[in-house]
């Protein structure tokens, strides 16, 4: 699979948290297909009930 490079900005209170977010995003991008990521982003943005349920299931 081809690799593509992007410059992005991540909002976080500290550089360490921004780095943690970037590592997590990299894992998600490598393990999920585009359609799955798109659905996940839609739920996070527009469905607070499902998001709360997912957070509870994850223990966060």
């Amino acid at each position: 699979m081809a690799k593509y490079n992007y410059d992005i900005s991540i909002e976080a209170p500290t550089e360490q948290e921004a780095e943690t977010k970037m590592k997590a995003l990299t894992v998600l991008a490598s393990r999920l297909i585009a359609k799955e990521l798109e659905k996940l982003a839609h739920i996070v943005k527009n469905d607070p009930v499902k998001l709360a349920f997912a957070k509870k299931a994850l223990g966060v």
Side-chain angles (χ1 to χ4, degrees), residues 5 21 24 27-28 40:
N5 295 315
K21 285 181 172 186
V27 170
L28 291 173
L40 180 60

Side-chain angles (χ1 to χ4, degrees), residues 4 13-15 23 47:
Y4 300 92
T14 66
E15 186 174 354
K23 287 178 182 177
D47 197 336

